[in-house]
Amino acid sequence: MGSYILRRLFHMAITLFAMITLMFFLFRLLPGDPTATVISPALDADARAAMQARFGLDRPLIEQYFVYLGNLARLDFGLSFRTSRPVWELIELRLVNTLLLILPSMIAAYVIGAFGGALMAWYRGGRAEGSLVLAATALQSAPVFWLGMLAILVFSIWLNWFPTGHIVTPGRFPDPTWRMYLTLDFLHHLALPFFVNTLYNLCFPLLLMRSTMLSTIGEDYVELARMKGLRERQVLYGHAMRNSLLPLATTLPMILGWSVAGSVVIETVFSWPGLGLLMIEGITRSDYPVVQGAFLLIAVLTIVGTFVADLLYGLLDPRIVYR
Amino acid sequence: MRILKSFIAAVWDVPSGRVALVVLGVFAALAILGPWIAPFDPMARTYGADGRLVRLAGPSADHWLGTTLMGRDIASQMLYGARPAFLVGGMTAIGTVLIGLNIGLIAGYFGGRVDAILMRITDIFLGLPFLPFIIVVLAMSGRSIWTIIFAMTIVMWRSTARVIRAQVLSLREMPFVAAARTTGASDWAILYREIAPNVLPLALVSTAFALAWAIITEASIGFLGFGDPNVISWGSILYDAYASQVMYRAPWWVVPPGIAIMILVSAVYFIGRAYEQVINPRLRAI
């Protein structure tokens, strides 16, 4: 087990390293010059050369790469082109904002999905169950930003129950601080994006749990539990559902990584100042250090998520042998 | 072609699959005929009898789904938008499966060092955040429909490769592979003549799910404002509606594109699931 974790950690380190390398060269080799917004092509050649020297852009690419690696190791993501402040300062709170939206809603989605899917399989075959499957598939097929737009339309504009976006009432906290998370205003702003994101992410665990349960219910040990005279509820929750949780649990970290990556759209709809929105803002303002930093952090979250998934899989299923 | 025929026949046998196939067929027909049956030029501005722009008009006999803030006919935009959904979704799904299938086959069959290297590469791609990566590529190298297809394919083949590899790992130990080996068949012949046909059904399921995912992603890209500026897509209609900041006055502008995506993607999901049931009867609900 210990050596397995070590090996997985090693693999994760390689993946991270490869990702950073890929990113570095991607940003420099793709057509289009990200520095054009800072170092205007209209400047005369001498001034441009001086600017490039100042940013270290005149050095060979490989040298720039090692400088970049060294800086990253110290969590130095460079300076924002726009505000000239360290990128890390910008990212910190944005990361918290994203996690505060994504984590609770993923947990809610998985808990509701697990119980809902188990119940659906238990009472399978009915018309109500059939329409639930259809509804969940339809919901899963709808783009989440569109669900968000509809929710804003109905709950914010027509009913006026929730604000249309942002994390707190604009202007209330001129400088974002930790204290804003402790206000009711924050929860009021969180409600709608949380609800939409949960509803959308609910469908996958729900349908997965349902199909896993359908095959579990046919297993001998469920039949045995019944014959022992256990009550239906005990058979359902204690035996059938408990054994169906494994495939579901293993998808959680990976889906978590994906939903952090997918938060771009939900954050855009609700003007939620998270990492995804930061990245989009960075692109529209041609602030590439910010884009790169946000992108890298999203990637790290995804990779760590996958790593945890693999470990969890082994912890939950004793049949898996580590080699 | 024969595999496609048997695919459709198998899906047709499942009731939900049959409905989904019909829905998909209707959408495909609309996508092909769209530009001919669209009542208006989707970018043309409509002027009323008084010479003023017909902004945000509700659904009427002339404009079935009403008009946009710019006085453009939404029904026509919807019809034009079906094509990019199919083009981008279809090309991405095909590219995804072609790459994923081959990598999965080679990694699973040869095992050892080949497998280790290919799977490490797959892991790296699994770490790429899906949508952010596509957006960065589009932002750096220009927003065109081909860049979208390219970027999506790059981040989508990874899951197909994993699924196919797992299947090949178990097929490799089957007696028919040993039998083929005793006849002196080369590795590549065994891989592509004996094993590949057996993973093809699984590859078709992957294609369906990739198609569904690609259609949603294409819409998301359009909504974020990174779609091809010369193409009208359902995502870009939603982007226009959102960016106009008057969408609350025109639900007919916001609702149709989402409904279209939802129905089309659901149909594709149901087709994939129906076929999955056929090739893996254990999944069939009792």
Side-chain angles (χ1 to χ4, degrees), chain A residues 11 15 18-19 26-27 30-32 134 137-138 140-143 145-146 149 153 157-158 207 214-215 258 261 264-265 268-269 279-280 283 288 291 295 298-299 302-303, chain B residues 120 123-124 126-133 135-136 139-141 158 216 219-220 223-224 226 238 242 247-248 251 254-255 258-259 261-262 265-266 269-270 273 282 285-286:
Chain A
H11 282 169
T15 308
M19 177 76 59
L26 189 76
F27 269 81
L30 279 178
L134 187 66
T137 307
Q140 200 181 18
S141 309
F145 61 85
W146 179 69
M149 287 165 84
L153 205 61
I157 289 162
W158 290 346
L207 294 172
L214 282 177
S215 55
W258 284 6
V264 183
V265 270
T268 304
V269 183
M279 210 190 89
I280 301 283
I283 291 175
Y288 285 92
V291 179
F295 181 88
I298 295 174
T302 314
I303 293 169
Chain B
R120 277 293 72 68
D123 277 353
I124 293 168
L126 270 170
L128 276 182
F130 195 80
L131 211 46
F133 174 79
I135 290 164
V136 165
M140 310 280 300
S141 51
R158 54 199 193 181
I216 294 187
S220 306
F223 169 72
L224 291 171
F226 291 93
L238 286 169
Y242 185 79
M247 63 164 188
Y248 58 92
V254 180
V255 174
I259 298 273
I261 296 166
M262 191 161 87
V265 174
S266 297
Y269 268 133
F270 273 113
R273 263 189 231 150
R282 274 195 65 176
I286 312 113

Coordinates of all heavy atoms in Angstrom, one line a residue, chain A residues 11 15 18-19 26-27 30-32 134 137-138 140-143 145-146 149 153 157-158 207 214-215 258 261 264-265 268-269 279-280 283 288 291 295 298-299 302-303, chain B residues 120 123-124 126-133 135-136 139-141 158 216 219-220 223-224 226 238 242 247-248 251 254-255 258-259 261-262 265-266 269-270 273 282 285-286:
Chain A
H11 N 4.0 9.5 -10.1 CA 3.2 9.7 -11.3 C 2.6 11.1 -11.4 O 2.6 11.7 -12.4 CB 2.2 8.6 -11.5 CG 2.7 7.3 -12.0 ND1 2.0 6.2 -12.0 CD2 3.9 7.0 -12.4 CE1 2.7 5.2 -12.4 NE2 3.9 5.6 -12.7
T15 N 3.1 14.1 -14.0 CA 2.0 14.7 -14.8 C 2.0 16.2 -14.6 O 1.8 16.9 -15.5 CB 0.7 14.1 -14.3 OG1 0.8 12.7 -14.3 CG2 -0.5 14.5 -15.1
A18 N 4.8 17.7 -16.5 CA 4.6 17.7 -17.9 C 3.5 18.8 -18.3 O 3.6 19.5 -19.3 CB 4.0 16.3 -18.4
M19 N 2.5 18.9 -17.4 CA 1.5 19.9 -17.6 C 2.1 21.3 -17.7 O 1.8 22.1 -18.6 CB 0.5 19.8 -16.5 CG -0.6 20.8 -16.5 SD -1.8 20.4 -17.8 CE -2.3 18.8 -17.2
L26 N 3.1 26.0 -24.8 CA 1.8 26.3 -25.5 C 1.6 27.8 -25.6 O 1.3 28.3 -26.7 CB 0.6 25.6 -24.7 CG -0.7 25.7 -25.4 CD1 -0.8 24.6 -26.5 CD2 -1.8 25.4 -24.4
F27 N 1.8 28.5 -24.5 CA 1.6 29.9 -24.5 C 2.6 30.7 -25.4 O 2.3 31.8 -25.8 CB 1.7 30.4 -23.0 CG 0.4 30.4 -22.3 CD1 -0.1 29.3 -21.7 CD2 -0.4 31.6 -22.2 CE1 -1.3 29.3 -21.1 CE2 -1.6 31.6 -21.5 CZ -2.1 30.4 -21.0
L30 N 2.0 29.0 -29.7 CA 0.7 29.1 -30.5 C 0.8 30.5 -31.2 O 1.4 31.4 -30.7 CB -0.5 29.1 -29.5 CG -1.0 27.8 -29.1 CD1 -2.2 27.9 -28.2 CD2 -1.4 27.0 -30.3
P31 N 0.2 30.5 -32.4 CA 0.2 31.8 -33.1 C -0.4 32.9 -32.2 O -1.3 32.7 -31.4 CB -0.6 31.5 -34.3 CG -1.2 30.2 -34.2 CD -0.5 29.5 -33.1
G32 N 0.0 34.1 -32.4 CA -0.5 35.2 -31.7 C 0.6 35.6 -30.6 O 1.2 34.7 -30.0
L134 N -35.9 10.1 -17.5 CA -36.0 11.0 -18.6 C -35.7 12.4 -18.2 O -34.9 13.1 -18.9 CB -37.4 10.9 -19.2 CG -37.6 11.7 -20.5 CD1 -36.8 11.1 -21.6 CD2 -39.1 11.8 -20.9
T137 N -31.9 12.7 -17.5 CA -31.2 12.7 -18.8 C -31.3 14.1 -19.5 O -30.3 14.6 -20.0 CB -31.6 11.6 -19.7 OG1 -31.6 10.4 -19.0 CG2 -30.8 11.5 -20.9
A138 N -32.5 14.6 -19.5 CA -32.8 15.9 -20.2 C -32.0 17.0 -19.5 O -31.3 17.8 -20.1 CB -34.3 16.2 -20.2
Q140 N -29.3 16.7 -17.7 CA -27.9 16.5 -17.9 C -27.5 17.0 -19.3 O -26.4 17.3 -19.6 CB -27.6 15.0 -17.8 CG -26.2 14.6 -17.5 CD -26.0 13.1 -17.4 OE1 -26.9 12.4 -17.9 NE2 -24.9 12.7 -16.9
S141 N -28.5 16.9 -20.2 CA -28.2 17.3 -21.6 C -28.3 18.8 -21.9 O -27.9 19.3 -22.9 CB -29.2 16.6 -22.6 OG -29.2 15.2 -22.3
A142 N -28.9 19.5 -20.9 CA -29.0 20.9 -21.1 C -27.7 21.6 -20.7 O -27.1 21.1 -19.8 CB -30.1 21.4 -20.2
P143 N -27.3 22.6 -21.4 CA -26.1 23.3 -21.0 C -26.3 24.0 -19.7 O -27.4 24.6 -19.5 CB -25.8 24.3 -22.1 CG -26.9 24.1 -23.1 CD -27.9 23.2 -22.6
F145 N -25.1 26.6 -18.4 CA -25.2 28.1 -18.4 C -26.6 28.5 -18.8 O -27.1 29.5 -18.3 CB -24.2 28.7 -19.3 CG -24.3 28.3 -20.8 CD1 -25.2 28.9 -21.6 CD2 -23.5 27.2 -21.2 CE1 -25.3 28.5 -22.9 CE2 -23.6 26.8 -22.6 CZ -24.5 27.5 -23.4
W146 N -27.2 27.6 -19.6 CA -28.6 27.9 -20.0 C -29.6 27.8 -18.8 O -30.5 28.6 -18.6 CB -29.0 27.0 -21.2 CG -30.4 27.2 -21.7 CD1 -30.9 28.3 -22.3 CD2 -31.5 26.3 -21.5 NE1 -32.2 28.0 -22.6 CE2 -32.6 26.8 -22.2 CE3 -31.6 25.0 -21.0 CZ2 -33.8 26.2 -22.2 CZ3 -32.8 24.3 -21.0 CH2 -33.9 24.9 -21.6
M149 N -29.2 30.8 -16.9 CA -30.0 31.9 -17.4 C -31.4 31.8 -17.1 O -32.1 32.8 -16.8 CB -29.7 32.0 -19.0 CG -28.4 32.4 -19.4 SD -28.0 32.0 -21.1 CE -28.7 33.4 -21.9
L153 N -33.7 34.4 -14.9 CA -34.9 34.9 -15.5 C -36.1 34.7 -14.5 O -36.8 35.7 -14.3 CB -35.2 34.1 -16.8 CG -36.0 34.8 -17.9 CD1 -35.3 36.1 -18.3 CD2 -36.2 33.9 -19.1
I157 N -35.4 37.8 -11.8 CA -36.0 38.9 -12.5 C -37.5 38.9 -12.3 O -38.1 39.9 -11.9 CB -35.6 39.0 -14.0 CG1 -34.1 39.4 -14.0 CG2 -36.4 39.9 -14.8 CD1 -33.4 39.1 -15.3
W158 N -38.2 37.8 -12.5 CA -39.6 37.8 -12.4 C -40.0 37.7 -10.9 O -40.9 38.5 -10.5 CB -40.2 36.6 -13.1 CG -40.1 36.7 -14.6 CD1 -39.8 37.9 -15.3 CD2 -40.2 35.7 -15.6 NE1 -39.8 37.7 -16.6 CE2 -40.0 36.4 -16.9 CE3 -40.5 34.4 -15.6 CZ2 -40.1 35.7 -18.1 CZ3 -40.6 33.7 -16.8 CH2 -40.4 34.4 -18.0
L207 N -28.0 8.8 -12.0 CA -28.2 7.8 -13.0 C -27.2 6.7 -12.8 O -27.5 5.5 -13.0 CB -28.1 8.4 -14.4 CG -29.2 9.3 -14.8 CD1 -28.9 10.0 -16.1 CD2 -30.5 8.6 -14.8
L214 N -29.2 -1.4 -9.8 CA -30.0 -2.4 -10.5 C -29.2 -3.7 -10.6 O -29.8 -4.8 -10.5 CB -30.3 -1.9 -11.9 CG -31.4 -0.9 -12.0 CD1 -31.6 -0.4 -13.4 CD2 -32.7 -1.5 -11.5
S215 N -27.9 -3.7 -10.8 CA -27.2 -4.9 -10.8 C -26.9 -5.5 -9.4 O -26.9 -6.7 -9.2 CB -25.9 -4.8 -11.6 OG -25.1 -3.8 -11.1
W258 N -13.3 18.1 -12.8 CA -14.0 18.5 -14.0 C -14.9 19.7 -13.7 O -15.1 20.6 -14.5 CB -14.9 17.4 -14.6 CG -14.1 16.4 -15.3 CD1 -12.7 16.3 -15.3 CD2 -14.6 15.3 -16.0 NE1 -12.3 15.3 -16.1 CE2 -13.4 14.6 -16.5 CE3 -15.8 14.8 -16.3 CZ2 -13.5 13.4 -17.3 CZ3 -15.9 13.7 -17.1 CH2 -14.8 13.0 -17.6
A261 N -13.1 22.8 -13.5 CA -12.8 23.2 -14.8 C -14.0 23.8 -15.5 O -14.0 24.7 -16.2 CB -12.2 22.1 -15.6
V264 N -16.1 27.6 -15.2 CA -16.0 28.7 -16.1 C -17.3 29.2 -16.5 O -17.6 30.4 -16.4 CB -15.2 28.4 -17.4 CG1 -15.0 29.6 -18.3 CG2 -13.8 27.8 -17.0
V265 N -18.2 28.3 -16.9 CA -19.5 28.8 -17.5 C -20.4 29.2 -16.4 O -21.0 30.3 -16.5 CB -20.2 27.7 -18.3 CG1 -19.8 27.8 -19.7 CG2 -20.0 26.3 -17.8
T268 N -19.4 32.6 -15.2 CA -19.7 33.6 -16.1 C -21.2 34.0 -16.0 O -21.5 35.2 -16.0 CB -19.4 33.2 -17.5 OG1 -18.0 32.7 -17.6 CG2 -19.6 34.3 -18.5
V269 N -22.1 33.1 -16.0 CA -23.5 33.4 -15.9 C -23.8 34.2 -14.7 O -24.6 35.2 -14.8 CB -24.4 32.1 -15.9 CG1 -25.8 32.5 -16.0 CG2 -24.0 31.2 -17.1
M279 N -10.0 33.7 -15.4 CA -9.4 33.3 -16.6 C -10.0 34.0 -17.8 O -9.2 34.5 -18.7 CB -9.4 31.8 -16.7 CG -8.3 31.2 -17.5 SD -8.6 29.5 -17.9 CE -9.4 29.7 -19.4
I280 N -11.3 34.0 -17.9 CA -12.0 34.7 -19.0 C -11.7 36.2 -19.0 O -11.3 36.7 -20.1 CB -13.5 34.5 -18.9 CG1 -13.9 33.0 -18.9 CG2 -14.2 35.2 -20.0 CD1 -13.8 32.3 -20.2
I283 N -8.3 36.7 -20.4 CA -8.2 36.6 -21.8 C -8.7 37.9 -22.5 O -8.1 38.4 -23.4 CB -8.9 35.4 -22.3 CG1 -8.2 34.1 -21.9 CG2 -9.1 35.4 -23.8 CD1 -8.9 32.8 -22.2
Y288 N -2.0 37.9 -19.8 CA -1.6 36.5 -19.9 C -1.0 35.9 -18.7 O -1.3 34.7 -18.4 CB -0.8 36.2 -21.2 CG -1.7 36.2 -22.4 CD1 -1.9 37.4 -23.1 CD2 -2.4 35.1 -22.7 CE1 -2.8 37.4 -24.2 CE2 -3.3 35.1 -23.8 CZ -3.5 36.2 -24.5 OH -4.4 36.2 -25.5
V291 N -4.0 34.7 -16.9 CA -4.6 33.5 -17.5 C -3.9 32.2 -17.2 O -4.4 31.2 -16.8 CB -4.7 33.7 -19.1 CG1 -5.3 32.5 -19.8 CG2 -5.4 34.9 -19.4
F295 N -5.2 29.1 -15.1 CA -5.3 27.8 -15.8 C -4.5 26.8 -15.1 O -4.9 25.6 -14.9 CB -4.7 28.0 -17.2 CG -4.8 26.8 -18.0 CD1 -5.9 26.5 -18.8 CD2 -3.7 25.9 -18.1 CE1 -6.0 25.3 -19.5 CE2 -3.8 24.8 -18.9 CZ -4.9 24.5 -19.6
I298 N -6.3 25.6 -11.9 CA -7.4 24.7 -12.3 C -6.8 23.3 -12.6 O -7.4 22.3 -12.2 CB -8.2 25.3 -13.4 CG1 -8.9 26.6 -13.0 CG2 -9.3 24.3 -13.9 CD1 -9.6 27.3 -14.1
A299 N -5.7 23.3 -13.4 CA -5.1 22.0 -13.8 C -4.6 21.2 -12.5 O -4.8 20.0 -12.4 CB -4.0 22.2 -14.7
T302 N -7.5 19.6 -10.8 CA -7.9 18.4 -11.6 C -7.0 17.2 -11.3 O -7.5 16.1 -11.1 CB -7.9 18.7 -13.1 OG1 -8.5 20.0 -13.3 CG2 -8.7 17.7 -13.9
I303 N -5.7 17.4 -11.4 CA -4.8 16.3 -11.3 C -4.8 15.8 -9.8 O -4.9 14.5 -9.7 CB -3.3 16.8 -11.6 CG1 -3.3 17.2 -13.1 CG2 -2.3 15.8 -11.2 CD1 -2.0 17.9 -13.5
Chain B
R120 N 0.9 7.2 -19.4 CA 1.4 8.4 -18.7 C 0.9 9.6 -19.6 O 0.4 10.6 -19.1 CB 2.9 8.4 -18.7 CG 3.6 7.7 -17.5 CD 3.4 8.3 -16.2 NE 2.0 8.1 -15.7 CZ 1.5 6.9 -15.3 NH1 2.3 5.8 -15.4 NH2 0.3 6.8 -14.9
D123 N -2.6 10.2 -19.0 CA -2.8 10.9 -17.6 C -2.6 12.4 -17.7 O -3.3 13.2 -17.1 CB -1.8 10.3 -16.6 CG -2.3 9.0 -16.0 OD1 -3.5 8.7 -16.3 OD2 -1.6 8.4 -15.3
I124 N -1.6 12.8 -18.5 CA -1.3 14.2 -18.6 C -2.5 14.9 -19.3 O -2.9 16.0 -18.9 CB 0.0 14.4 -19.5 CG1 1.2 13.9 -18.7 CG2 0.2 15.9 -19.8 CD1 2.5 13.8 -19.5
L126 N -5.5 13.8 -19.2 CA -6.6 13.8 -18.2 C -6.5 15.0 -17.3 O -7.5 15.4 -16.7 CB -6.6 12.5 -17.5 CG -7.4 11.4 -18.1 CD1 -7.1 10.1 -17.3 CD2 -8.9 11.7 -18.0
G127 N -5.3 15.5 -17.0 CA -5.1 16.6 -16.1 C -5.5 17.9 -16.8 O -5.6 18.9 -16.1
L128 N -5.5 18.0 -18.1 CA -5.9 19.2 -18.8 C -7.3 19.6 -18.4 O -8.2 18.9 -18.7 CB -5.8 19.1 -20.3 CG -4.4 19.2 -21.0 CD1 -4.6 19.0 -22.5 CD2 -3.8 20.6 -20.7
P129 N -7.5 20.8 -17.9 CA -8.9 21.2 -17.6 C -9.6 21.5 -18.9 O -9.1 22.2 -19.8 CB -8.7 22.5 -16.8 CG -7.3 22.8 -16.8 CD -6.5 21.8 -17.4
F130 N -10.7 20.8 -19.1 CA -11.4 20.7 -20.4 C -11.7 22.0 -21.0 O -11.0 22.4 -22.0 CB -12.7 19.9 -20.1 CG -13.4 19.4 -21.3 CD1 -13.0 18.3 -21.9 CD2 -14.4 20.1 -21.8 CE1 -13.6 17.8 -23.0 CE2 -15.1 19.6 -22.9 CZ -14.7 18.5 -23.5
L131 N -12.6 22.7 -20.5 CA -13.1 24.0 -21.1 C -12.0 25.1 -21.1 O -11.7 25.7 -22.1 CB -14.3 24.4 -20.4 CG -15.4 25.2 -21.3 CD1 -15.6 24.5 -22.6 CD2 -16.7 25.3 -20.5
P132 N -11.3 25.3 -20.0 CA -10.3 26.3 -19.9 C -9.2 26.1 -21.0 O -8.8 27.0 -21.7 CB -9.7 26.2 -18.5 CG -10.8 25.7 -17.7 CD -11.6 24.7 -18.6
F133 N -8.8 24.8 -21.2 CA -7.8 24.5 -22.2 C -8.3 25.0 -23.6 O -7.6 25.6 -24.4 CB -7.5 23.0 -22.2 CG -6.5 22.7 -23.4 CD1 -5.2 22.9 -23.3 CD2 -7.0 22.1 -24.5 CE1 -4.3 22.6 -24.3 CE2 -6.2 21.7 -25.6 CZ -4.8 22.0 -25.5
I135 N -10.5 27.1 -24.4 CA -10.6 28.6 -24.5 C -9.3 29.2 -24.7 O -9.1 30.1 -25.5 CB -11.4 29.1 -23.2 CG1 -12.8 28.7 -23.3 CG2 -11.2 30.6 -23.1 CD1 -13.5 28.8 -22.0
V136 N -8.3 28.7 -23.9 CA -6.9 29.3 -24.1 C -6.4 29.1 -25.5 O -5.9 30.0 -26.1 CB -6.0 28.6 -23.1 CG1 -4.5 28.9 -23.4 CG2 -6.3 29.2 -21.7
A139 N -8.2 31.5 -27.7 CA -7.8 32.9 -27.5 C -6.5 33.1 -28.1 O -6.2 34.2 -28.6 CB -7.8 33.1 -26.0
M140 N -5.6 32.1 -28.1 CA -4.2 32.3 -28.6 C -4.2 32.2 -30.2 O -3.5 32.9 -30.8 CB -3.3 31.3 -28.1 CG -3.3 31.1 -26.6 SD -2.4 32.4 -25.7 CE -0.8 32.1 -26.4
S141 N -4.9 31.2 -30.7 CA -4.7 31.0 -32.1 C -6.0 31.3 -33.0 O -6.1 30.8 -34.1 CB -4.3 29.6 -32.4 OG -5.1 28.7 -31.7
R158 N -8.8 11.1 -24.5 CA -8.2 10.4 -23.4 C -9.2 9.4 -22.7 O -8.8 8.3 -22.3 CB -7.9 11.5 -22.3 CG -9.0 12.4 -22.0 CD -8.6 13.7 -21.4 NE -9.8 14.4 -20.8 CZ -9.8 15.5 -20.2 NH1 -8.6 16.2 -20.1 NH2 -10.9 16.1 -19.7
I216 N -22.6 19.9 -26.4 CA -22.7 20.8 -25.2 C -21.5 21.7 -25.1 O -21.7 22.9 -24.9 CB -22.9 20.0 -23.9 CG1 -24.1 19.2 -23.9 CG2 -22.8 20.9 -22.7 CD1 -24.4 18.5 -22.6
A219 N -21.6 24.5 -27.6 CA -22.5 25.6 -27.1 C -21.9 26.4 -26.0 O -22.0 27.7 -26.0 CB -23.8 25.0 -26.6
S220 N -21.2 25.8 -25.1 CA -20.5 26.5 -24.0 C -19.5 27.5 -24.5 O -19.4 28.6 -24.1 CB -19.8 25.6 -23.0 OG -20.7 24.6 -22.6
F223 N -21.2 30.4 -26.0 CA -21.8 31.2 -24.9 C -20.7 32.1 -24.3 O -21.0 33.2 -23.9 CB -22.5 30.4 -23.9 CG -22.9 31.1 -22.6 CD1 -23.9 32.0 -22.7 CD2 -22.2 31.0 -21.5 CE1 -24.2 32.8 -21.6 CE2 -22.5 31.7 -20.4 CZ -23.5 32.6 -20.4
L224 N -19.5 31.5 -24.1 CA -18.5 32.3 -23.5 C -17.9 33.4 -24.4 O -17.1 34.2 -24.1 CB -17.4 31.4 -23.0 CG -17.7 30.5 -21.8 CD1 -16.6 29.5 -21.6 CD2 -18.0 31.3 -20.6
F226 N -16.4 32.7 -27.4 CA -15.2 32.3 -28.2 C -15.5 31.4 -29.4 O -14.7 30.8 -30.0 CB -14.3 31.4 -27.2 CG -13.6 32.3 -26.2 CD1 -14.2 32.4 -24.9 CD2 -12.5 33.0 -26.4 CE1 -13.7 33.2 -23.9 CE2 -11.9 33.8 -25.4 CZ -12.5 33.9 -24.2
L238 N -27.3 32.3 -27.6 CA -27.4 32.5 -26.2 C -26.5 33.6 -25.7 O -26.8 34.4 -24.8 CB -27.2 31.2 -25.4 CG -28.4 30.2 -25.6 CD1 -28.0 28.8 -25.0 CD2 -29.6 30.7 -24.8
Y242 N -27.5 36.9 -23.8 CA -27.0 37.2 -22.5 C -26.3 38.6 -22.5 O -26.5 39.4 -21.6 CB -26.0 36.1 -22.1 CG -25.5 36.3 -20.7 CD1 -26.3 35.9 -19.6 CD2 -24.2 36.8 -20.4 CE1 -25.8 36.1 -18.3 CE2 -23.7 37.0 -19.1 CZ -24.5 36.6 -18.1 OH -24.1 36.7 -16.8
M247 N -32.4 40.1 -21.9 CA -33.0 38.8 -22.1 C -34.2 38.6 -21.3 O -35.1 37.8 -21.7 CB -32.0 37.7 -21.8 CG -31.5 37.6 -20.4 SD -30.7 36.1 -20.1 CE -30.5 36.2 -18.3
Y248 N -34.3 39.3 -20.1 CA -35.5 39.2 -19.3 C -36.8 39.7 -20.0 O -37.9 39.3 -19.6 CB -35.3 39.8 -18.0 CG -35.0 41.3 -18.1 CD1 -36.1 42.2 -18.0 CD2 -33.7 41.8 -18.2 CE1 -35.9 43.6 -18.1 CE2 -33.5 43.2 -18.3 CZ -34.6 44.0 -18.2 OH -34.3 45.4 -18.4
P251 N -38.0 36.1 -23.3 CA -37.8 34.7 -23.0 C -37.7 33.8 -24.3 O -37.0 32.8 -24.3 CB -38.9 34.3 -22.1 CG -39.8 35.4 -22.0 CD -39.2 36.6 -22.6
V254 N -34.2 33.3 -25.3 CA -33.4 32.5 -24.5 C -33.8 31.0 -24.5 O -32.9 30.1 -24.5 CB -33.4 33.0 -23.0 CG1 -32.6 32.1 -22.1 CG2 -33.1 34.4 -22.9
V255 N -35.1 30.7 -24.5 CA -35.5 29.4 -24.3 C -35.2 28.4 -25.5 O -34.7 27.3 -25.3 CB -37.0 29.3 -24.0 CG1 -37.6 27.9 -23.9 CG2 -37.3 30.0 -22.6
G258 N -31.6 26.5 -25.9 CA -31.4 25.5 -24.8 C -32.2 24.3 -25.0 O -31.7 23.2 -24.8
I259 N -33.5 24.5 -25.4 CA -34.4 23.3 -25.6 C -33.8 22.5 -26.8 O -33.8 21.2 -26.7 CB -35.8 23.8 -26.0 CG1 -36.4 24.6 -24.9 CG2 -36.7 22.6 -26.4 CD1 -37.1 23.8 -23.8
I261 N -30.7 22.2 -27.8 CA -29.5 21.4 -27.3 C -30.0 20.3 -26.5 O -29.5 19.1 -26.6 CB -28.6 22.4 -26.6 CG1 -28.0 23.5 -27.5 CG2 -27.4 21.6 -26.0 CD1 -27.4 24.6 -26.7
M262 N -30.9 20.6 -25.6 CA -31.3 19.5 -24.6 C -31.9 18.3 -25.3 O -31.6 17.2 -25.0 CB -32.3 20.2 -23.6 CG -32.7 19.3 -22.5 SD -33.4 20.4 -21.2 CE -35.1 20.3 -21.7
V265 N -29.1 16.5 -27.5 CA -28.1 15.7 -26.7 C -28.8 14.6 -26.0 O -28.2 13.5 -25.9 CB -27.4 16.7 -25.7 CG1 -26.5 15.9 -24.7 CG2 -26.6 17.7 -26.4
S266 N -30.0 14.8 -25.5 CA -30.7 13.7 -24.8 C -30.9 12.5 -25.8 O -30.7 11.3 -25.4 CB -32.1 14.1 -24.4 OG -32.1 15.1 -23.4
Y269 N -27.7 10.7 -26.1 CA -27.5 9.9 -24.9 C -28.3 8.6 -24.9 O -27.8 7.5 -24.6 CB -27.9 10.7 -23.6 CG -26.7 11.5 -23.0 CD1 -26.9 12.8 -22.6 CD2 -25.5 10.9 -22.7 CE1 -25.9 13.5 -22.0 CE2 -24.5 11.6 -22.2 CZ -24.7 12.9 -21.8 OH -23.7 13.7 -21.2
F270 N -29.6 8.7 -25.2 CA -30.4 7.6 -25.2 C -30.0 6.5 -26.3 O -30.1 5.3 -26.0 CB -31.9 8.0 -25.5 CG -32.6 8.3 -24.2 CD1 -33.0 9.6 -23.9 CD2 -32.8 7.4 -23.2 CE1 -33.6 10.0 -22.8 CE2 -33.5 7.7 -22.0 CZ -33.9 9.0 -21.8
R273 N -27.0 4.8 -24.7 CA -27.4 3.9 -23.7 C -28.1 2.7 -24.2 O -27.9 1.6 -23.7 CB -28.3 4.6 -22.7 CG -27.5 5.1 -21.5 CD -28.5 5.6 -20.5 NE -28.0 7.0 -20.1 CZ -28.9 7.9 -19.7 NH1 -30.2 7.7 -19.6 NH2 -28.4 9.1 -19.3
R282 N -26.3 -7.0 -19.1 CA -26.4 -6.8 -17.6 C -27.0 -5.5 -17.3 O -27.5 -5.3 -16.2 CB -25.0 -7.0 -17.0 CG -24.7 -8.4 -16.7 CD -23.6 -8.5 -15.7 NE -23.9 -8.0 -14.4 CZ -23.1 -8.0 -13.4 NH1 -21.9 -8.5 -13.5 NH2 -23.4 -7.4 -12.2
A285 N -32.5 -2.9 -17.5 CA -33.3 -2.8 -16.3 C -34.3 -3.9 -16.4 O -35.0 -4.2 -17.4 CB -34.0 -1.4 -16.3
I286 N -34.5 -4.6 -15.2 CA -35.4 -5.7 -15.2 C -36.8 -5.2 -15.0 O -37.0 -4.4 -14.2 CB -35.0 -6.7 -14.0 CG1 -33.5 -7.0 -14.1 CG2 -35.7 -8.0 -14.2 CD1 -32.7 -6.4 -12.9

